[in-house]
Amino acid sequence: MDMSRRPRRLRRDGVRPLVRETDLAASDLIAPVFVDATTDERVPIETMPGHERVPVEEAVARVEEIRETGVEAVILFGVPESKDPEGSRAWAEDGVVQEATRRITAETDAYVVTDVCLCEYTDHGHCGVLEADAESDPRLTVRNDETLELLGRTAASHARAGADMVAPSGMMDGMVGAIRESLDGDGFTDVPIMSYAAKYESAFYGPFRDAADGAPAFGDRRHYQMDPANAREARREVDLDVEQGADVLMVKPALPYLDVVRQVREDHDHPVAAYNVSGEYAMLHAAAEKGWLNLEAVAYESLLSIKRAGADLILTYFAEDVADRL
Ligand code: PBG
């Protein structure tokens, strides 16, 4: 055996940092924030330890807490005061995300991304306008093309409130193009779109649906979100969003889909984002609580691995904790 090759030479303390291929920085991270119009107090989210739904009045304070850790970007999710079949509170000028965005952008230097979707705003919990018989016929769900106009309206209302970037997550065909057109028509040509480009129909969203009160009242999202079995299809999905003008391409969830993250990285020069979702966060917390994993270590390793796979930015509930220690 030729013992002249010894990889361990580069694993000594002085040289390890010099040959490190991947770095994690607070500037890579986006912290999710839940703003809730139904409460005037902060409400802890049981399935996501350390996270809470905050009233609009607390949104600025919440964002300042995040910025103290070095994380400068947030993504806002809203829980509206009321819901209806169309989700009209999603594009209300005085909606919960619009109000929070106005305050945060006026009072802080945070970079504000808004999630553009209807599922938290519709009384049936689906991500768009329903087909007439959707409730009784499991083959039917959301009307794609009618939903596009509502997503365009919602994105423009977020931009008018001051959103720096919008992030459509509904997986409607044509959503990026419709939103681009709506933003440009309103003069917001400089507001970028981070598309949830390859978003899978994942069981890892469970805790989020509790947090944002956005679980579908019947059925599931398999008719619009992607089948977890498909990676080649992600290529076609992501290409379409690129053609429609997406500025940042997101893969979601992150850890179970690192092959897709890598694939998008290799196929496109655009910045790639990965969403380290609620279930990925909750399972590490649950194991740590039992004493089975070291939370700090597995959180850091998870985010580092997502970057190594090819993500430039990560949306993660670990943002504050990890940034604090970087
Ligand atoms: C809304 C949306 C969801 C998530 C982000 N935006 C839920 C869903 O699609 O059901 C999930 C985020 C998470 O689990 O952390 N469409």
Side-chain angles (χ1 to χ4, degrees):
M1 205 197 316
D2 176 7
M3 288 305 291
S4 67
R5 311 278 162 84
R6 292 181 182 268
R8 287 181 53 178
R9 283 181 197 125
L10 295 182
R11 291 183 198 144
R12 290 173 178 247
D13 282 346
V15 71
R16 262 168 59 99
L18 289 170
V19 299
R20 222 163 183 237
E21 299 174 24
T22 309
D23 261 321
L24 191 60
S27 58
D28 301 326
L29 307 177
I30 301 179
V33 170
F34 297 97
V35 190
D36 185 345
T38 68
T39 177
D40 27 72
E41 274 166 37
R42 292 182 177 219
V43 184
I45 301 167
E46 209 181 314
T47 50
M48 296 165 67
H51 284 272
E52 39 191 21
R53 296 161 31 154
V54 303
V56 170
E57 292 67 37
E58 289 285 315
V60 168
R62 178 75 194 99
V63 170
E64 288 296 10
E65 290 163 15
I66 292 167
R67 292 188 65 241
E68 268 164 35
T69 67
V71 175
E72 298 283 353
V74 294
I75 180 164
L76 302 185
F77 295 95
V79 179
E81 49 286 279
S82 63
K83 305 190 185 211
D84 59 34
E86 284 201 309
S88 62
R89 295 303 296 169
W91 58 86
E93 290 304 314
D94 62 347
V96 61
V97 164
Q98 290 81 354
E99 291 288 0
T101 301
R102 237 171 254 128
R103 291 181 191 216
I104 296 165
T105 51
E107 294 175 42
T108 79
D109 291 326
Y111 190 82
V112 177
V113 184
T114 56
D115 184 82
V116 176
C117 195
L118 300 179
C119 58
E120 292 129 45
Y121 302 87
T122 53
D123 51 13
H124 45 76
H126 279 287
C127 301
V129 185
L130 286 185
E131 296 279 2
D133 295 323
E135 206 158 342
S136 53
D137 186 342
R139 292 167 305 175
L140 299 174
T141 43
V142 169
R143 291 190 194 204
N144 192 87
D145 297 13
E146 277 169 46
T147 301
L148 294 181
E149 202 252 320
L150 306 182
L151 294 175
R153 265 193 232 177
T154 302
S157 77
H158 290 177
R160 280 194 293 278
D164 294 300
M165 177 187 267
V166 296
S169 63
M171 288 300 279
M172 295 300 127
D173 293 339
M175 70 180 182
V176 172
I179 287 172
R180 185 71 271 158
E181 203 176 306
S182 170
L183 289 174
D184 291 356
D186 243 17
F188 296 107
T189 51
D190 288 334
V191 172
I193 300 175
M194 171 161 64
S195 180
Y196 287 67
K199 175 172 175 179
Y200 286 86
E201 200 241 339
S202 170
F204 285 98
Y205 305 150
F208 173 95
R209 292 179 184 173
D210 296 339
D213 192 25
F218 60 88
D220 55 42
R221 304 205 204 286
R222 72 182 185 280
H223 294 147
Y224 38 104
Q225 298 180 350
M226 284 184 59
D227 185 338
N230 296 354
R232 293 195 304 271
E233 184 193 351
R235 260 203 180 113
R236 302 198 293 277
E237 261 291 352
V238 174
D239 284 352
L240 288 172
D241 285 8
V242 168
E243 283 164 25
Q244 291 166 42
D247 299 283
V248 179
L249 305 172
M250 193 203 300
V251 174
K252 178 185 173 191
L255 291 176
Y257 297 85
L258 291 184
D259 56 328
V260 181
V261 172
R262 167 54 59 94
Q263 182 178 287
V264 177
R265 165 78 297 138
E266 287 175 353
D267 287 353
H268 298 282
D269 293 329
H270 295 60
V272 176
Y275 200 139
N276 178 228
V277 301
S278 57
E280 299 174 58
Y281 178 82
M283 67 183 175
L284 297 191
H285 264 276
E289 214 168 274
K290 283 182 168 280
W292 293 351
L293 287 175
N294 174 332
L295 185 61
E296 214 173 285
V298 290
Y300 177 78
E301 186 179 331
S302 297
L303 301 190
L304 189 68
S305 299
I306 294 166
K307 280 208 73 184
R308 193 195 60 239
D312 301 293
L313 45 144
I314 307 173
L315 299 91
T316 178
Y317 304 97
F318 288 118
E320 288 166 272
D321 294 342
V322 170
D324 232 356
R325 288 188 309 267
L326 287 173

